Amino acid sequence: MSTLLEKQIKVNRIVTTSIEHARAIEDPARAKIVEILYRQALSADQISTALKKTGYKKALTTVRHHLEILKESGLVEIARIEESRGAITKYYSTSTKLLDFQTPEDFDSTYSKVINNTSTKIEKILKGLTPKTKSKGKKSEDYSQYLVMEIMNRAMTNVLEKSHNK
C-alpha cells in the first residue's frame, strides 16, 4: 500500500459543548431559534413568525417541539409567563449567543500576529487558572482544559457583552 497523502493537522480550535447542546442545535431551525431569542424573550407564536421571516416555515406545534428540546438541553428557558383572558402565554429566552459564521480563508495569515500576541497574554492568565481546575481520575487533563475553556469563554462573554451594552 502506498501513501497518497499525509499532512500534519495542527489543532487550532477547541469547541466546548455538551452532546445535549450539540444535538439540540443540530437542527438548523433550533439553532435559528437560539439566535432569535438572544436578547429578547418571545412566545412560541412570536418565534414562529420570526422563523418565517428567516425562511423557516414551521408549524406552531413544531416550534413548541423545538422549544421543548432546547429547554431540555438547557439552551432555552422560560423567561416569563403571562395570563390573559384565561390563557397562559410562555415567553422563552436564552443565555447563549450563537455566532454562526465561516472563518475567511486568509484568517490565519491575516490574524497570525494578533493570535500570537494574544496567546502570550492568555498563557499568563492560564498559569493562574490551571491549578484551580485540576481534577483526579481519567481524562482529568481534558476535563481541566474544558473547565479552563469554559472559564475563558464566560469571561470573554462578560467582556464582550459589557462593551456591546455601552
Side-chain angles (χ1 to χ4, degrees), residues 33 36-37 41-53 56 58-64 67 88-92:
I33 289 170
I36 289 168
L37 292 177
L42 298 174
S43 68
D45 194 42
Q46 290 169 323
I47 293 167
S48 180
T49 301
L51 279 173
K52 285 178 185 152
K53 289 179 183 175
Y56 293 93
K58 301 289 180 186
L60 188 56
T61 54
T62 304
V63 170
R64 286 194 174 114
L67 284 168
I88 300 290
T89 303
K90 296 176 186 174
Y91 290 82
Y92 301 87

Side-chain angles (χ1 to χ4, degrees), residues 116-160:
N116 288 336
N117 291 337
T118 305
S119 296
T120 303
K121 293 172 185 174
I122 289 174
E123 215 171 349
K124 292 176 185 174
I125 294 169
L126 291 181
K127 285 181 183 175
L129 277 179
T130 304
K132 296 174 183 166
T133 61
K134 291 287 183 205
S135 63
K136 294 178 183 172
K138 61 180 180 176
K139 294 188 180 182
S140 62
E141 186 178 332
D142 286 347
Y143 183 65
S144 180
Q145 286 181 354
Y146 168 78
L147 290 176
V148 167
M149 287 298 298
E150 275 299 302
I151 290 166
M152 293 298 290
N153 184 317
R154 291 180 189 209
M156 285 293 301
T157 301
N158 286 345
V159 170
L160 294 173

Side-chain angles (χ1 to χ4, degrees), residues 25 28-51 54 63-64 66-71 73-80 90-98 161:
I25 61 171
R30 288 195 292 264
K32 186 53 79 178
I33 289 170
V34 173
E35 285 181 36
I36 289 168
L37 292 177
Y38 175 69
R39 293 203 187 280
Q40 60 183 343
L42 298 174
S43 68
D45 194 42
Q46 290 169 323
I47 293 167
S48 180
T49 301
L51 279 173
T54 62
V63 170
R64 286 194 174 114
H66 286 321
L67 284 168
E68 198 55 40
I69 291 169
L70 291 167
K71 251 179 35 184
S73 75
L75 289 172
V76 164
E77 56 190 286
I78 296 172
R80 185 171 79 240
K90 296 176 186 174
Y91 290 82
Y92 301 87
S93 191
T94 184
S95 61
T96 302
K97 180 178 184 178
L98 277 181
E161 288 299 297

